[in-house]
Amino acid sequence: MPSDTRTTIYLKPKVYRALEVKAATTDRSLSDLVNAAVLESLREDALDLEAFDRRAKEPTQAFEKVFKKLRCGGTL
């Protein structure tokens, strides 16, 4: 198994302090918390890309046209 890669990140002081508190209260390391947050963000991106791919062939409508229909229908 490959070893972890060391890197430097810059956090706002309040973010770093909150991360330290969370690490202490959850008995996890700062690295574990940062890795988990980054992985969750990447998972969300992957889900967004999958949804985009699934809907790529759907017909599109201009925003102005949709807006006009909403106004004419009394929704707006």
Side-chain angles (χ1 to χ4, degrees), residues 36 38-48:
V38 170
L39 285 172
E40 181 60 29
S41 178
L42 292 173
R43 281 187 197 101
E44 288 176 7
D45 289 347
L47 290 173
D48 290 344

Side-chain angles (χ1 to χ4, degrees), residues 25-50:
T25 58
T26 60
D27 199 30
R28 295 173 68 188
S29 70
L30 294 175
S31 291
D32 286 342
L33 294 174
V34 171
N35 272 301
V38 170
L39 285 172
E40 181 60 29
S41 178
L42 292 173
R43 281 187 197 101
E44 288 176 7
D45 289 347
L47 290 173
D48 290 344
L49 289 171
E50 289 172 13

Side-chain angles (χ1 to χ4, degrees), residues 1-73:
M1 177 176 227
S3 63
D4 293 343
T5 300
R6 185 181 178 120
T7 189
T8 301
I9 60 170
Y10 295 92
L11 302 170
K12 302 289 184 194
K14 288 182 180 180
V15 173
Y16 181 73
R17 180 68 185 133
L19 194 59
E20 282 185 312
V21 170
K22 184 169 182 172
T25 58
T26 60
D27 199 30
R28 295 173 68 188
S29 70
L30 294 175
S31 291
D32 286 342
L33 294 174
V34 171
N35 272 301
V38 170
L39 285 172
E40 181 60 29
S41 178
L42 292 173
R43 281 187 197 101
E44 288 176 7
D45 289 347
L47 290 173
D48 290 344
L49 289 171
E50 289 172 13
F52 180 79
D53 287 343
R54 281 193 310 272
R55 300 188 70 181
K57 294 183 181 175
E58 289 182 8
T60 59
Q61 294 184 36
F63 173 75
E64 293 81 9
K65 198 174 195 178
V66 173
F67 186 75
K68 188 175 182 180
K69 285 181 185 179
L70 291 172
R71 288 190 92 180
C72 290

